[in-house]
Amino acid sequence: MKETLENAIYKNMAKLLIGDGIARILGFVITPVLTRIYLPAEMGSLAVFTSFVAILIPFSTLRYPLLIPVLKDEKMAFSLSYATFLMLLCSTILLIISLFFFKSDIFSLFSVEELSDFWWLIPISFFSMGLYELFYQWAIRKKEFLLLSKSKILQKSIGSAVQIGLGMARFGSLGLIIGSIFSEAGGLSLFARSFKKDICCNYRFVRWSRMKVILGKFVNYPVYRLPAQFLLSLSGKMPLLYFAWKFGAGMAGQVGLATTMLSIPVTLLGSSVGKAFYAEVSGMGSSKRIEILYLTRKVIQKLFCISLIPTILIVLFAPILFELFFGTDWVQAGVFARILAIYLITQFVYSPISEGLFNILKRQSIVLCLKIIRILIISMAFGACYYWEFSPIATLLLYSIGMAANYVVATLVIINAVKYQK
């Protein structure tokens, strides 16, 4: 039984790795081209833009799409999907109104006033990401891992082509932003064609009463998971926003490239493991505590061993590699990557298992508590850096140490949550 479940996870993992691997390789190959077309300040503007969207995106559907793979009844799952789509439409309209009146104040705060002219792109990106997440969760429910892989490849291919083309045409930061939006929306047509039959078959079962029941039954998701995800997004983007505010868009671009490159091993393998792991444990249910605990420990052990290789390479050779691949303007990003690698192992271990297990265990209060602790640690770190006027390197060092401690504590908490689940 245990070996069968493990084999299923690794088989699905392999499917996801194909798509994620190709997409990440494309991104890695294209990035040296982009760093020679765009200036660090322009890359910093993109980093700030995507940070805004990432922080806002949890409010698009109130985190309800996470339930789509878990619900046993197909009609209820589709009704939930339809309800979240309506939420996405309403939240996008609200975002448009808010930015129309306050865009100048928001962008001037982070020293990227040039983005004020492109404010209308934020709602487009916001809606595209929300819709992609909705389709993505439905694909996980159907265990369409090959489809997920194809969507990743399509996204990266379209987005990269647009960014290169607009960069050669001297569009500046606007070219990067438009390419990013194309990347986010690149897989939507593929999902729409693949799930057209599901949409047609289930749409007739959508009822307001059914939507009201399912939203009310799982109200703990917006109560706990929404603020938790918001805090997670905010804490993840705080380094970029702080550096843009304190040291300028150019320095934020350096941090952005460093974090992007560090996310490759985490996303390439860790994210694929997490999705496959979630697909399996969601079908097991919280009652099979022993089986879930066994799988969790096995996955953690494997991830820890695998994470050692990229971490050591980054610590030893990051500055040299960044100068070689991205150009002399980006040596600072290599120095930053070496510092940020301090917490790479702990993030690599924790991230793949956290999302799925907390959904299965329905321990949303723990998720919120962990995110509050995380944002407090990061806020205190940057507060201390601002008060004592730390240099960029010292700022990232303190941030990395705090993040490493945070992930270690969070991993221990989630193991104990599974172990003592009633």
Side-chain angles (χ1 to χ4, degrees):
M1 173 64 178
K2 293 179 180 178
E3 292 182 358
T4 302
L5 289 172
E6 271 195 88
N7 291 335
I9 289 179
Y10 297 136
K11 182 178 179 181
N12 292 331
M13 186 194 310
K15 293 179 181 178
L16 288 170
L17 276 172
I18 293 173
D20 279 351
I22 295 175
R24 290 293 161 180
I25 291 173
L26 282 174
F28 184 76
V29 171
I30 294 301
T31 301
V33 179
L34 296 178
T35 55
R36 286 168 171 82
I37 296 176
Y38 295 97
L39 299 173
E42 293 170 339
M43 299 286 279
S45 296
L46 172 66
V48 174
F49 178 92
T50 55
S51 296
F52 279 138
V53 178
I55 291 171
L56 293 172
I57 200 65
F59 297 96
S60 62
T61 53
L62 305 183
R63 306 305 291 157
Y64 275 114
L66 294 175
L67 284 166
I68 294 174
V70 179
L71 296 176
K72 302 298 183 182
D73 187 270
E74 185 89 354
K75 299 175 185 177
M76 296 296 284
F78 187 82
S79 295
L80 176 65
S81 301
Y82 186 77
T84 53
F85 176 74
L86 295 179
M87 292 180 192
L88 178 60
L89 284 176
C90 294
S91 58
T92 302
I93 294 172
L94 181 60
L95 178 60
I96 292 173
I97 296 172
S98 300
L99 288 175
F100 182 80
F101 289 104
F102 303 110
K103 57 183 181 295
S104 298
D105 295 333
I106 294 174
F107 290 124
S108 61
L109 179 63
F110 297 100
S111 303
V112 285
E113 290 84 353
E114 67 272 16
L115 292 184
S116 296
D117 297 331
F118 315 139
W119 69 270
W120 49 275
L121 290 172
I122 292 181
I124 296 176
S125 178
F126 178 83
F127 182 80
S128 299
M129 289 184 66
L131 189 58
Y132 185 85
E133 173 66 12
L134 192 57
F135 275 120
Y136 203 101
Q137 296 298 333
W138 190 266
I140 291 179
R141 175 183 179 83
K142 296 294 183 178
K143 296 188 178 182
E144 292 284 354
F145 298 105
L146 188 58
L147 178 63
L148 294 177
S149 295
K150 291 179 180 178
S151 72
K152 288 292 185 182
I153 297 172
L154 185 62
Q155 282 183 315
K156 182 56 67 176
S157 300
I158 295 176
S160 298
V162 172
Q163 287 179 329
I164 292 176
L166 295 181
M168 296 297 291
R170 303 299 180 185
F171 271 66
S173 55
L174 177 61
L176 285 169
I177 293 171
I178 293 176
S180 175
I181 293 174
F182 270 91
S183 179
E184 294 158 2
L188 292 179
S189 60
L190 188 63
F191 282 136
R193 289 196 303 269
S194 300
F195 297 131
K196 181 178 179 181
K197 184 178 180 180
D198 285 344
I199 295 172
C200 294
C201 291
N202 289 296
Y203 182 76
R204 56 196 174 98
F205 297 114
V206 174
R207 300 288 185 277
W208 286 107
S209 58
R210 184 174 284 134
M211 288 189 289
K212 184 177 179 180
V213 168
I214 195 67
L215 293 178
K217 182 178 180 180
F218 293 97
V219 71
N220 60 329
Y221 270 71
V223 171
Y224 292 110
R225 292 310 294 264
L226 173 59
Q229 185 62 33
F230 170 73
L231 293 175
L232 175 63
S233 299
L234 179 60
S235 61
K237 300 303 180 181
M238 277 184 70
L240 291 172
L241 298 177
Y242 180 83
F243 269 73
W245 171 69
K246 181 68 175 176
F247 304 111
M251 195 63 73
Q254 300 281 355
V255 175
L257 181 62
T259 54
T260 298
M261 291 299 103
L262 284 180
S263 70
I264 290 178
V266 175
T267 306
L268 177 60
L269 182 59
S271 179
S272 300
V273 173
K275 294 180 181 71
F277 179 74
Y278 184 26
E280 287 303 320
V281 296
S282 63
M284 296 168 62
S286 59
S287 60
K288 297 186 178 180
R289 176 178 56 85
I290 297 177
E291 289 86 348
I292 294 177
L293 183 61
Y294 172 81
L295 290 174
T296 302
R297 286 174 171 170
K298 295 291 288 185
V299 170
I300 287 176
Q301 291 171 5
K302 293 181 183 296
L303 288 174
F304 177 79
C305 294
I306 294 172
S307 66
L308 291 174
I309 298 175
T311 301
I312 293 173
L313 291 175
I314 291 170
V315 170
L316 293 177
F317 305 112
I320 299 174
L321 293 175
F322 271 68
E323 181 179 9
L324 176 64
F325 285 103
F326 307 120
T328 56
D329 290 338
W330 299 94
V331 177
Q332 187 67 54
V335 177
F336 288 164
R338 171 183 283 172
I339 298 171
L340 292 171
I342 292 174
Y343 72 87
L344 182 61
I345 293 179
T346 55
Q347 182 188 23
F348 198 88
V349 170
Y350 172 76
S351 297
I353 64 172
S354 59
E355 189 74 36
L357 285 180
F358 280 127
N359 286 337
I360 297 302
L361 299 176
K362 297 181 176 62
R363 302 292 296 274
Q364 313 307 327
S365 58
I366 296 180
V367 177
L368 180 57
C369 289
L370 289 176
K371 298 304 183 291
I372 292 175
I373 293 173
R374 175 187 170 118
I375 197 68
L376 287 175
I377 291 174
I378 296 174
S379 298
M380 288 189 293
F382 284 123
C385 293
Y386 174 76
Y387 182 79
W388 282 293
E389 298 184 350
F390 280 12
S391 66
I393 291 179
T395 299
L396 278 186
L397 179 60
L398 185 58
Y399 166 76
S400 296
I401 294 173
M403 288 295 292
N406 170 76
Y407 282 124
V408 170
V409 172
T411 301
L412 294 175
V413 169
I414 198 171
I415 291 175
N416 279 280
V418 176
K419 187 175 182 180
Y420 300 108
Q421 172 72 8
K422 296 180 180 180

